[in-house]
Structure formats: structure tokens, C-alpha cells
Amino acid sequence: MEVKLLVVHGRPQHKSLVFPRGSYVFGRGAECHIRPNSEWVSRQHCQLLVTSDAASIRDLGSRNGTLINGERVVGERGLADGDQIQIGPLVFEVRLEHQPKRPSAPASLPEGPDVEPVDETPGYCLDTAPLPPRSAHTVTNESSSAGQAKEAQDPLRPPS
């Protein structure tokens, strides 16, 4: 299964992120996979879990909570196609895509590791520089010619 999160409120609107099987942390911390630039988002806000047959989200004790369809997530909650997830000022629409089963690999070949989320929309700027212990992505506004991403200013926070 793959999970697509389409940005329906926030920047960049109408862009989607694709999450194959794995576990992904959303938050402002450098260790997070997806790092929204907003003080409304905790350092470790929530965790998206994608398995071969289901997807769920778990709030990690965030100050402002994680909402699904307007209801605060307590513990872990399963996701359905069309659900709306709110993380701080961002709202994502969930699109679940079931992948056809792959043929079994020969027993001598180990199964590959899960991969990082993939952005399938051209022009969506993410900071993909590897950071120990895992790579992080920052939602950004623009890129410089050197390939370094420049963080977007949160519209709800005054400039520093």
C-alpha cells in the first residue's frame, strides 16, 4: 500500500507526498521525515505508519494535537481514503493506493529496506540532504541555484 497526502490547506497547496510502506515522523525536529515550518507543529508531532494492507496515524503527545476529520487523535487511529489530517495549520487529504502484489523474490535475496517519501509533483521543493540518523524533508518556498532549500516563512508567525 502507498499513502498519498494531498495538501488541501497550507503551502504548497495541491501538492502531494507519497509514502510507501514504512514509518514517518512529522514535526519541526531535525530528526523528523516531514518538517512543516510552523510553531503550531511540535518538534515530534505525529507518526504515519504504512503497512502492506493498512495505514494509521499516531499523535506523539503534540501540544496542539493531530486531527482526523476534525476529531483529535488519541493514541493510534486507522486512516481511510478521503480522511483529512490536520497537523498544525496544514490539512492533508488521504489517498490510499493498494499496490498489486509483487512476485516473491528468491529466498536467497534479502528484501530491500523501506524507502523515504517521494514527492511526485514537479517544482515541490524539499530539503533532501541526509541528516543523521535519517534524512529529513522541509517544506520550502524556493531553491537557490546551489540546490540548497530556503525555508518558507510561516504565514501565521511574525518574521524573526
Side-chain angles (χ1 to χ4, degrees):
M1 169 177 288
E2 279 188 343
V3 173
K4 285 186 180 180
L5 295 182
L6 175 68
V7 179
V8 294
H9 181 59
R11 289 186 307 195
Q13 197 165 14
H14 305 297
K15 304 296 181 179
S16 64
L17 292 171
V18 178
F19 297 88
R21 188 173 48 120
S23 173
Y24 307 92
V25 177
F26 289 66
R28 291 183 295 117
E31 70 282 2
C32 296
H33 295 95
I34 305 298
R35 298 187 328 212
N37 184 24
S38 174
E39 290 296 321
W40 291 14
V41 177
S42 297
R43 292 189 193 286
Q44 288 192 345
H45 196 95
C46 63
Q47 180 178 28
L48 174 66
L49 304 163
V50 182
T51 66
S52 58
D53 58 352
S56 61
I57 197 158
R58 175 185 303 149
D59 186 78
L60 298 175
S62 64
R63 179 178 46 190
N64 294 314
T66 303
L67 305 175
I68 297 181
N69 301 325
E71 295 181 20
R72 191 172 186 138
V73 173
V74 177
E76 187 173 328
R77 183 163 162 193
L79 295 173
D81 199 52
D83 279 347
Q84 290 200 346
I85 301 172
Q86 182 172 348
I87 301 169
L90 298 171
V91 179
F92 301 95
E93 182 177 315
V94 175
R95 296 195 179 153
L96 302 179
E97 297 192 358
H98 298 274
Q99 301 297 312
K101 295 208 180 223
R102 291 186 277 173
S104 307
S108 61
L109 295 176
E111 190 165 321
D114 291 338
V115 295
E116 295 297 317
V118 175
D119 171 42
E120 63 179 13
T121 309
Y124 188 67
C125 300
L126 293 173
D127 176 5
T128 57
L131 297 174
R134 45 189 158 170
S135 62
H137 302 282
T138 303
V139 176
T140 60
N141 195 351
E142 61 188 40
S143 300
S144 69
S145 60
Q148 295 295 322
K150 184 177 179 182
E151 290 191 48
Q153 180 64 38
D154 185 289
L156 302 171
R157 189 173 77 201
S160 34

